[in-house]
Amino acid sequence: MTQTYTRKTYNRLKRAPGRASYDEAIVHQILDANLICHVGYEIDGQPFVTPTSFWREENRVYWHGAAAGRMLKHQKAGVKVCFTVSQLDGLVMARSAFHHSLNYQSVMAFGTAYPVVDRTEKNRQLELFMDRLAPGRWDEVRPPNARELRLTTVMELVLDDVVAKVRNGPPVDNDEDHLLDCWAGIIPFHTATGAPMDDPQLRAGILPAANLRQGIVSLVRKFGRVMPW
């Protein structure tokens, strides 16, 4: 059975409502195919928007950062945020300047974010984040020590007041403009990985683990291309 988010005050799309989706599966699909979000909030009347990495578990999204940073110190007090994710899929080249556009997928969520305070849960969430980047990577590296956990804040936002907005397909020109001698169409955009570049201080003979490449391939196939390693 399809699960949908309830239309509320903030997530009700008024401009181009036909591009809106409240389908939970579509929202989750867009979130899982991207790594960077932007979190908007206000401090003393001044709006801020901070880009950061994120991950999702079930119907919650998480992001992390330095506990001493102004963004997370402020958010830990329980303030309202606007969480957004966007993905560019292509340039839409029309016959008229007015109808040029972009093909894209985006998610916008509203709510109050709270810190994950339980140490065991915080550690588990950081493991989920690393394994989202590359499954099995957590078991290869040194886990955070007690001091590093104290210096890290993990924020949690329940996906409740949320909407996806998607534009795909060719340009929508006026009928009379179809007679113009001007090329029109879509220029696709893709994300691609390259070959790994060794850390300059990497000891000789150490190669990326097989599961690292497999994890990257799995991640990027959701939204881009993998170049040969």
Side-chain angles (χ1 to χ4, degrees):
M1 183 176 180
T2 301
Q3 299 293 321
T4 59
Y5 291 104
T6 302
R7 290 168 175 79
K8 300 184 178 182
T9 301
Y10 294 115
N11 71 342
R12 187 179 297 275
L13 197 61
K14 297 180 180 179
R15 179 66 179 172
R19 297 179 184 174
S21 175
Y22 300 91
D23 187 298
E24 184 180 88
I26 292 176
V27 169
H28 290 179
Q29 177 181 322
I30 296 171
L31 294 175
D32 293 347
N34 289 277
L35 295 172
I36 298 292
C37 69
H38 290 79
V39 182
Y41 51 98
E42 184 180 288
I43 301 179
D44 297 330
Q46 172 61 51
F48 291 87
V49 178
T50 303
T52 186
S53 53
F54 78 98
W55 63 102
R56 180 186 69 85
E57 184 182 31
E58 297 179 349
N59 204 41
R60 289 172 167 81
V61 288
Y62 299 82
W63 60 94
H64 78 297
R70 179 172 61 173
M71 174 186 78
L72 296 183
K73 286 178 67 175
H74 182 69
Q75 292 176 7
K76 284 194 296 184
V79 298
K80 292 182 178 180
V81 300
C82 177
F83 171 97
T84 64
V85 170
S86 58
Q87 173 181 315
L88 175 63
D89 293 326
L91 305 181
V92 181
M93 314 300 288
R95 297 166 182 82
S96 66
F98 180 80
H99 286 297
H100 278 66
S101 187
L102 301 174
N103 280 341
Y104 62 88
Q105 303 175 58
S106 65
V107 168
M108 181 174 287
F110 305 89
T112 302
Y114 294 99
V116 176
V117 295
D118 181 78
R119 177 176 171 177
T120 300
E121 176 62 12
K122 180 193 291 188
N123 198 71
R124 189 182 74 86
Q125 285 300 329
L126 293 173
E127 181 177 354
L128 288 177
F129 173 54
M130 182 163 291
D131 280 349
R132 167 162 149 76
L133 300 179
R137 182 69 172 170
W138 183 267
D139 294 330
E140 299 175 27
V141 301
R142 177 182 65 79
N145 57 37
R147 177 178 177 274
E148 291 168 339
L149 281 176
R150 287 197 307 271
L151 295 175
T152 303
T153 293
V154 175
M155 300 298 298
E156 172 186 343
L157 176 67
V158 176
L159 294 173
D160 177 41
D161 198 350
V162 59
V163 61
K165 187 177 181 182
V166 178
R167 199 261 185 224
N168 53 42
V172 182
D173 274 311
N174 297 340
D175 289 343
E176 60 271 22
D177 288 337
H178 291 160
L179 300 176
L180 296 175
D181 294 328
C182 175
W183 181 85
I186 300 170
I187 301 176
F189 266 60
H190 299 284
T191 298
T193 65
M197 297 183 292
D198 290 343
D199 179 346
Q201 299 186 54
L202 186 70
R203 290 185 290 110
I206 299 179
L207 300 175
N211 66 291
L212 176 61
R213 184 181 188 281
Q214 293 167 0
I216 297 297
V217 168
S218 175
L219 175 67
V220 178
R221 274 180 178 164
K222 295 178 181 178
F223 63 101
R225 295 187 301 131
V226 179
M227 302 300 288
W229 284 21

